[in-house]
Amino acid sequence: MLEDSLFARLALADGAVLVRTLAGDLTVASAVSAGGAGHVRLAAEGAGTDVLLNAQLTSGTGHVTLLAARHLALGANVTVATGGTGTADLEAFGGALTMNAGSRVQNATGAQRLAAAGNLTLGTLATAGNVSLVAEN
């Protein structure tokens, strides 16, 4: 697991945020923000690893991507947001994607894609763009 102190420093005015683990889960308890057109990508890529987002994740107009080798979960009242044509892509390649109570994926006109190899539990999805939902189980 990455230490949360790293995320306390992840607030960029206009740049990309890329955090990935090759072994171990990725748990985020402090807000992550990329201003302007900066993209945000958080990924747990090791076998059987999870992403647990317990804090707000925002980009001004860039793309937002959350990838988990196994499970991906948004904690209660967590918002993943971007503006303009920025897209939101959330994928759990080996398990469930869970949006807990009050969680939200929000963008202006960009597409949203939520995919899980297991169950897909939705919170609120808000966009004027296209939405793709995939649950293989």
Side-chain angles (χ1 to χ4, degrees), residues 107-131:
N107 50 351
T109 59
Q112 295 182 355
R113 180 172 192 273
L114 288 81
N119 294 330
L120 179 60
T121 304
L122 297 176
T124 300
L125 304 178
T127 184
N130 295 326
V131 175

Side-chain angles (χ1 to χ4, degrees), residues 23-105:
D25 297 337
L26 177 58
T27 301
V28 181
S30 295
V32 176
S33 175
H39 305 305
V40 178
R41 179 183 169 114
L42 304 179
E45 298 176 357
T49 57
D50 303 333
V51 172
L52 177 56
L53 184 64
N54 285 323
Q56 309 308 318
L57 188 153
T58 59
S59 173
T61 59
H63 304 298
V64 174
T65 306
L66 297 171
L67 306 173
R70 188 174 58 166
H71 302 302
L72 189 156
L74 302 185
N77 302 311
V78 167
T79 297
V80 173
T82 187
T85 58
T87 61
D89 182 21
L90 288 71
E91 300 187 51
F93 293 104
L97 191 159
T98 304
M99 296 177 67
N100 286 295
S103 62
R104 178 178 186 91
V105 176

